[in-house]
PDB file of all heavy atoms in Angstrom:
ATOM      1  N   ASP A 388      20.632-116.750 340.481  1.00 98.00           N
ATOM      2  CA  ASP A 388      21.342-115.478 340.527  1.00 98.00           C
ATOM      3  C   ASP A 388      20.730-114.523 341.546  1.00 98.00           C
ATOM      4  O   ASP A 388      21.289-113.454 341.796  1.00 98.00           O
ATOM      5  CB  ASP A 388      21.346-114.807 339.152  1.00 98.00           C
ATOM      6  CG  ASP A 388      22.139-115.591 338.119  1.00 98.00           C
ATOM      7  OD1 ASP A 388      23.219-116.112 338.457  1.00 98.00           O
ATOM      8  OD2 ASP A 388      21.676-115.675 336.964  1.00 98.00           O
ATOM      9  N   THR A 389      19.592-114.884 342.093  1.00 98.00           N
ATOM     10  CA  THR A 389      18.928-114.041 343.075  1.00 98.00           C
ATOM     11  C   THR A 389      19.826-113.842 344.294  1.00 98.00           C
ATOM     12  O   THR A 389      20.273-114.803 344.914  1.00 98.00           O
ATOM     13  CB  THR A 389      17.596-114.658 343.505  1.00 98.00           C
ATOM     14  OG1 THR A 389      16.715-114.713 342.375  1.00 98.00           O
ATOM     15  CG2 THR A 389      16.940-113.829 344.599  1.00 98.00           C
ATOM     16  N   ALA A 390      20.084-112.595 344.624  1.00 98.00           N
ATOM     17  CA  ALA A 390      20.964-112.266 345.738  1.00 98.00           C
ATOM     18  C   ALA A 390      21.008-110.758 345.899  1.00 98.00           C
ATOM     19  O   ALA A 390      20.500-110.011 345.061  1.00 98.00           O
ATOM     20  CB  ALA A 390      22.375-112.802 345.488  1.00 98.00           C
ATOM     21  N   VAL A 391      21.617-110.337 346.980  1.00 98.00           N
ATOM     22  CA  VAL A 391      21.982-108.941 347.122  1.00 98.00           C
ATOM     23  C   VAL A 391      23.370-108.785 346.522  1.00 98.00           C
ATOM     24  O   VAL A 391      24.297-109.506 346.898  1.00 98.00           O
ATOM     25  CB  VAL A 391      21.975-108.484 348.592  1.00 98.00           C
ATOM     26  CG1 VAL A 391      22.439-107.040 348.700  1.00 98.00           C
ATOM     27  CG2 VAL A 391      20.583-108.639 349.190  1.00 98.00           C
ATOM     28  N   TYR A 392      23.498-107.868 345.604  1.00 98.00           N
ATOM     29  CA  TYR A 392      24.763-107.640 344.927  1.00 98.00           C
ATOM     30  C   TYR A 392      25.454-106.420 345.512  1.00 98.00           C
ATOM     31  O   TYR A 392      24.849-105.363 345.685  1.00 98.00           O
ATOM     32  CB  TYR A 392      24.530-107.447 343.425  1.00 98.00           C
ATOM     33  CG  TYR A 392      24.242-108.738 342.703  1.00 98.00           C
ATOM     34  CD1 TYR A 392      23.039-109.407 342.896  1.00 98.00           C
ATOM     35  CD2 TYR A 392      25.181-109.298 341.846  1.00 98.00           C
ATOM     36  CE1 TYR A 392      22.787-110.606 342.254  1.00 98.00           C
ATOM     37  CE2 TYR A 392      24.928-110.495 341.195  1.00 98.00           C
ATOM     38  CZ  TYR A 392      23.730-111.147 341.404  1.00 98.00           C
ATOM     39  OH  TYR A 392      23.481-112.332 340.756  1.00 98.00           O
ATOM     40  N   TYR A 393      26.731-106.589 345.809  1.00 98.00           N
ATOM     41  CA  TYR A 393      27.516-105.538 346.440  1.00 98.00           C
ATOM     42  C   TYR A 393      28.689-105.135 345.559  1.00 98.00           C
ATOM     43  O   TYR A 393      29.415-105.988 345.039  1.00 98.00           O
ATOM     44  CB  TYR A 393      28.077-106.003 347.791  1.00 98.00           C
ATOM     45  CG  TYR A 393      27.030-106.326 348.826  1.00 98.00           C
ATOM     46  CD1 TYR A 393      26.540-107.614 348.964  1.00 98.00           C
ATOM     47  CD2 TYR A 393      26.553-105.333 349.677  1.00 98.00           C
ATOM     48  CE1 TYR A 393      25.587-107.918 349.922  1.00 98.00           C
ATOM     49  CE2 TYR A 393      25.604-105.630 350.642  1.00 98.00           C
ATOM     50  CZ  TYR A 393      25.127-106.923 350.760  1.00 98.00           C
ATOM     51  OH  TYR A 393      24.186-107.223 351.719  1.00 98.00           O
ATOM     52  N   CYS A 394      28.876-103.862 345.420  1.00 97.00           N
ATOM     53  CA  CYS A 394      30.043-103.329 344.759  1.00 97.00           C
ATOM     54  C   CYS A 394      31.193-103.263 345.756  1.00 97.00           C
ATOM     55  O   CYS A 394      30.996-102.936 346.927  1.00 97.00           O
ATOM     56  CB  CYS A 394      29.733-101.936 344.213  1.00 97.00           C
ATOM     57  SG  CYS A 394      31.115-101.100 343.419  1.00 97.00           S
ATOM     58  N   ASN A 395      32.386-103.583 345.291  1.00 96.00           N
ATOM     59  CA  ASN A 395      33.575-103.554 346.126  1.00 96.00           C
ATOM     60  C   ASN A 395      34.690-102.840 345.377  1.00 96.00           C
ATOM     61  O   ASN A 395      34.912-103.095 344.199  1.00 96.00           O
ATOM     62  CB  ASN A 395      34.002-104.978 346.479  1.00 96.00           C
ATOM     63  CG  ASN A 395      35.345-105.042 347.188  1.00 96.00           C
ATOM     64  OD1 ASN A 395      36.399-105.031 346.553  1.00 96.00           O
ATOM     65  ND2 ASN A 395      35.306-105.122 348.512  1.00 96.00           N
ATOM     66  N   VAL A 396      35.382-101.956 346.076  1.00 94.00           N
ATOM     67  CA  VAL A 396      36.530-101.284 345.478  1.00 94.00           C
ATOM     68  C   VAL A 396      37.707-101.344 346.436  1.00 94.00           C
ATOM     69  O   VAL A 396      37.542-101.371 347.652  1.00 94.00           O
ATOM     70  CB  VAL A 396      36.233 -99.817 345.098  1.00 94.00           C
ATOM     71  CG1 VAL A 396      35.040 -99.734 344.169  1.00 94.00           C
ATOM     72  CG2 VAL A 396      36.015 -98.959 346.334  1.00 94.00           C
ATOM     73  N   ARG A 397      38.885-101.362 345.852  1.00 92.00           N
ATOM     74  CA  ARG A 397      40.119-101.309 346.610  1.00 92.00           C
ATOM     75  C   ARG A 397      40.974-100.196 346.039  1.00 92.00           C
ATOM     76  O   ARG A 397      41.148-100.087 344.820  1.00 92.00           O
ATOM     77  CB  ARG A 397      40.846-102.647 346.564  1.00 92.00           C
ATOM     78  CG  ARG A 397      42.106-102.686 347.399  1.00 92.00           C
ATOM     79  CD  ARG A 397      42.584-104.102 347.620  1.00 92.00           C
ATOM     80  NE  ARG A 397      41.674-104.852 348.480  1.00 92.00           N
ATOM     81  CZ  ARG A 397      41.872-106.109 348.850  1.00 92.00           C
ATOM     82  NH1 ARG A 397      42.937-106.762 348.419  1.00 92.00           N
ATOM     83  NH2 ARG A 397      40.997-106.710 349.631  1.00 92.00           N
ATOM     84  N   LEU A 398      41.497 -99.366 346.916  1.00 88.00           N
ATOM     85  CA  LEU A 398      42.227 -98.183 346.496  1.00 88.00           C
ATOM     86  C   LEU A 398      43.732 -98.401 346.405  1.00 88.00           C
ATOM     87  O   LEU A 398      44.453 -97.516 345.944  1.00 88.00           O
ATOM     88  CB  LEU A 398      41.933 -97.023 347.446  1.00 88.00           C
ATOM     89  CG  LEU A 398      40.448 -96.702 347.653  1.00 88.00           C
ATOM     90  CD1 LEU A 398      40.297 -95.460 348.517  1.00 88.00           C
ATOM     91  CD2 LEU A 398      39.741 -96.509 346.318  1.00 88.00           C
ATOM     92  N   GLY A 399      44.202 -99.534 346.825  1.00 82.00           N
ATOM     93  CA  GLY A 399      45.618 -99.846 346.763  1.00 82.00           C
ATOM     94  C   GLY A 399      45.844-101.304 347.075  1.00 82.00           C
ATOM     95  O   GLY A 399      44.930-102.013 347.507  1.00 82.00           O
ATOM     96  N   LEU A 400      47.069-101.755 346.868  1.00 78.00           N
ATOM     97  CA  LEU A 400      47.389-103.161 347.070  1.00 78.00           C
ATOM     98  C   LEU A 400      47.052-103.633 348.481  1.00 78.00           C
ATOM     99  O   LEU A 400      46.514-104.726 348.661  1.00 78.00           O
ATOM    100  CB  LEU A 400      48.868-103.401 346.768  1.00 78.00           C
ATOM    101  CG  LEU A 400      49.368-104.834 346.929  1.00 78.00           C
ATOM    102  CD1 LEU A 400      48.657-105.759 345.951  1.00 78.00           C
ATOM    103  CD2 LEU A 400      50.873-104.891 346.703  1.00 78.00           C
ATOM    104  N   LEU A 401      47.365-102.817 349.464  1.00 85.00           N
ATOM    105  CA  LEU A 401      47.133-103.192 350.852  1.00 85.00           C
ATOM    106  C   LEU A 401      46.017-102.384 351.493  1.00 85.00           C
ATOM    107  O   LEU A 401      45.850-102.408 352.711  1.00 85.00           O
ATOM    108  CB  LEU A 401      48.428-103.027 351.660  1.00 85.00           C
ATOM    109  CG  LEU A 401      49.629-103.842 351.183  1.00 85.00           C
ATOM    110  CD1 LEU A 401      50.841-103.546 352.044  1.00 85.00           C
ATOM    111  CD2 LEU A 401      49.308-105.331 351.193  1.00 85.00           C
ATOM    112  N   ALA A 402      45.254-101.690 350.702  1.00 86.00           N
ATOM    113  CA  ALA A 402      44.175-100.869 351.226  1.00 86.00           C
ATOM    114  C   ALA A 402      42.977-101.723 351.604  1.00 86.00           C
ATOM    115  O   ALA A 402      42.753-102.794 351.026  1.00 86.00           O
ATOM    116  CB  ALA A 402      43.761 -99.826 350.196  1.00 86.00           C
ATOM    117  N   PRO A 403      42.191-101.254 352.565  1.00 87.00           N
ATOM    118  CA  PRO A 403      40.989-102.007 352.931  1.00 87.00           C
ATOM    119  C   PRO A 403      39.915-101.915 351.864  1.00 87.00           C
ATOM    120  O   PRO A 403      39.923-101.020 351.019  1.00 87.00           O
ATOM    121  CB  PRO A 403      40.545-101.322 354.229  1.00 87.00           C
ATOM    122  CG  PRO A 403      41.049 -99.924 354.096  1.00 87.00           C
ATOM    123  CD  PRO A 403      42.371-100.053 353.385  1.00 87.00           C
ATOM    124  N   ASP A 404      38.983-102.846 351.918  1.00 91.00           N
ATOM    125  CA  ASP A 404      37.869-102.848 350.982  1.00 91.00           C
ATOM    126  C   ASP A 404      36.857-101.779 351.334  1.00 91.00           C
ATOM    127  O   ASP A 404      36.651-101.437 352.497  1.00 91.00           O
ATOM    128  CB  ASP A 404      37.162-104.203 350.993  1.00 91.00           C
ATOM    129  CG  ASP A 404      38.008-105.318 350.417  1.00 91.00           C
ATOM    130  OD1 ASP A 404      38.848-105.041 349.533  1.00 91.00           O
ATOM    131  OD2 ASP A 404      37.818-106.472 350.846  1.00 91.00           O
ATOM    132  N   HIS A 405      36.217-101.256 350.315  1.00 94.00           N
ATOM    133  CA  HIS A 405      35.069-100.379 350.475  1.00 94.00           C
ATOM    134  C   HIS A 405      33.886-101.049 349.802  1.00 94.00           C
ATOM    135  O   HIS A 405      34.011-101.597 348.704  1.00 94.00           O
ATOM    136  CB  HIS A 405      35.325 -99.004 349.855  1.00 94.00           C
ATOM    137  CG  HIS A 405      36.388 -98.218 350.552  1.00 94.00           C
ATOM    138  ND1 HIS A 405      36.102 -97.285 351.530  1.00 94.00           N
ATOM    139  CD2 HIS A 405      37.734 -98.226 350.426  1.00 94.00           C
ATOM    140  CE1 HIS A 405      37.233 -96.755 351.964  1.00 94.00           C
ATOM    141  NE2 HIS A 405      38.236 -97.311 351.320  1.00 94.00           N
ATOM    142  N   TRP A 406      32.753-100.985 350.462  1.00 96.00           N
ATOM    143  CA  TRP A 406      31.569-101.692 349.990  1.00 96.00           C
ATOM    144  C   TRP A 406      30.414-100.746 349.701  1.00 96.00           C
ATOM    145  O   TRP A 406      30.196 -99.766 350.413  1.00 96.00           O
ATOM    146  CB  TRP A 406      31.099-102.709 351.038  1.00 96.00           C
ATOM    147  CG  TRP A 406      32.087-103.813 351.278  1.00 96.00           C
ATOM    148  CD1 TRP A 406      33.057-103.861 352.228  1.00 96.00           C
ATOM    149  CD2 TRP A 406      32.176-105.035 350.543  1.00 96.00           C
ATOM    150  NE1 TRP A 406      33.758-105.042 352.133  1.00 96.00           N
ATOM    151  CE2 TRP A 406      33.243-105.781 351.114  1.00 96.00           C
ATOM    152  CE3 TRP A 406      31.466-105.578 349.468  1.00 96.00           C
ATOM    153  CZ2 TRP A 406      33.613-107.042 350.640  1.00 96.00           C
ATOM    154  CZ3 TRP A 406      31.840-106.827 348.993  1.00 96.00           C
ATOM    155  CH2 TRP A 406      32.895-107.544 349.583  1.00 96.00           C
ATOM    156  N   GLY A 407      29.680-101.071 348.660  1.00 97.00           N
ATOM    157  CA  GLY A 407      28.447-100.374 348.389  1.00 97.00           C
ATOM    158  C   GLY A 407      27.351-100.841 349.320  1.00 97.00           C
ATOM    159  O   GLY A 407      27.536-101.765 350.120  1.00 97.00           O
ATOM    160  N   GLN A 408      26.190-100.207 349.213  1.00 96.00           N
ATOM    161  CA  GLN A 408      25.102-100.515 350.135  1.00 96.00           C
ATOM    162  C   GLN A 408      24.370-101.804 349.790  1.00 96.00           C
ATOM    163  O   GLN A 408      23.602-102.313 350.611  1.00 96.00           O
ATOM    164  CB  GLN A 408      24.098 -99.353 350.163  1.00 96.00           C
ATOM    165  CG  GLN A 408      23.090 -99.324 349.008  1.00 96.00           C
ATOM    166  CD  GLN A 408      23.626 -98.732 347.723  1.00 96.00           C
ATOM    167  OE1 GLN A 408      24.811 -98.452 347.590  1.00 96.00           O
ATOM    168  NE2 GLN A 408      22.737 -98.528 346.748  1.00 96.00           N
ATOM    169  N   GLY A 409      24.604-102.328 348.618  1.00 97.00           N
ATOM    170  CA  GLY A 409      23.931-103.526 348.165  1.00 97.00           C
ATOM    171  C   GLY A 409      22.669-103.202 347.396  1.00 97.00           C
ATOM    172  O   GLY A 409      21.952-102.257 347.720  1.00 97.00           O
ATOM    173  N   THR A 410      22.410-103.985 346.372  1.00 97.00           N
ATOM    174  CA  THR A 410      21.185-103.830 345.601  1.00 97.00           C
ATOM    175  C   THR A 410      20.601-105.213 345.338  1.00 97.00           C
ATOM    176  O   THR A 410      21.310-106.145 344.978  1.00 97.00           O
ATOM    177  CB  THR A 410      21.445-103.072 344.278  1.00 97.00           C
ATOM    178  OG1 THR A 410      20.213-102.861 343.587  1.00 97.00           O
ATOM    179  CG2 THR A 410      22.413-103.831 343.373  1.00 97.00           C
ATOM    180  N   GLN A 411      19.306-105.341 345.556  1.00 98.00           N
ATOM    181  CA  GLN A 411      18.641-106.630 345.438  1.00 98.00           C
ATOM    182  C   GLN A 411      18.357-106.968 343.985  1.00 98.00           C
ATOM    183  O   GLN A 411      17.781-106.164 343.254  1.00 98.00           O
ATOM    184  CB  GLN A 411      17.332-106.625 346.227  1.00 98.00           C
ATOM    185  CG  GLN A 411      16.522-107.914 346.113  1.00 98.00           C
ATOM    186  CD  GLN A 411      17.158-109.069 346.838  1.00 98.00           C
ATOM    187  OE1 GLN A 411      17.567-108.927 347.994  1.00 98.00           O
ATOM    188  NE2 GLN A 411      17.253-110.223 346.173  1.00 98.00           N
ATOM    189  N   VAL A 412      18.756-108.164 343.595  1.00 98.00           N
ATOM    190  CA  VAL A 412      18.414-108.714 342.283  1.00 98.00           C
ATOM    191  C   VAL A 412      17.584-109.964 342.519  1.00 98.00           C
ATOM    192  O   VAL A 412      18.037-110.901 343.180  1.00 98.00           O
ATOM    193  CB  VAL A 412      19.667-109.051 341.454  1.00 98.00           C
ATOM    194  CG1 VAL A 412      19.280-109.790 340.174  1.00 98.00           C
ATOM    195  CG2 VAL A 412      20.438-107.781 341.122  1.00 98.00           C
ATOM    196  N   THR A 413      16.380-109.966 341.996  1.00 98.00           N
ATOM    197  CA  THR A 413      15.492-111.108 342.147  1.00 98.00           C
ATOM    198  C   THR A 413      15.106-111.614 340.767  1.00 98.00           C
ATOM    199  O   THR A 413      14.585-110.856 339.945  1.00 98.00           O
ATOM    200  CB  THR A 413      14.230-110.733 342.932  1.00 98.00           C
ATOM    201  OG1 THR A 413      14.594-110.238 344.224  1.00 98.00           O
ATOM    202  CG2 THR A 413      13.322-111.949 343.097  1.00 98.00           C
ATOM    203  N   VAL A 414      15.380-112.883 340.524  1.00 98.00           N
ATOM    204  CA  VAL A 414      15.054-113.520 339.253  1.00 98.00           C
ATOM    205  C   VAL A 414      13.957-114.539 339.525  1.00 98.00           C
ATOM    206  O   VAL A 414      14.187-115.555 340.173  1.00 98.00           O
ATOM    207  CB  VAL A 414      16.274-114.198 338.625  1.00 98.00           C
ATOM    208  CG1 VAL A 414      15.914-114.761 337.253  1.00 98.00           C
ATOM    209  CG2 VAL A 414      17.432-113.210 338.516  1.00 98.00           C
TER     210      VAL A 414
END
């Protein structure tokens, strides 16, 4: 599961993606 995790949001059906800055998870 170790990876950089990114949040993604979409504001509409055809809207572009918005991304978070990423947060490191290390197991």
Side-chain angles (χ1 to χ4, degrees):
D388 294 319
T389 296
V391 177
Y392 284 70
Y393 297 92
C394 177
N395 172 277
V396 304
R397 183 165 292 181
L398 306 185
L400 180 63
L401 301 178
D404 292 330
H405 294 265
W406 295 93
Q408 81 279 8
T410 184
Q411 177 71 48
V412 173
T413 301
V414 184

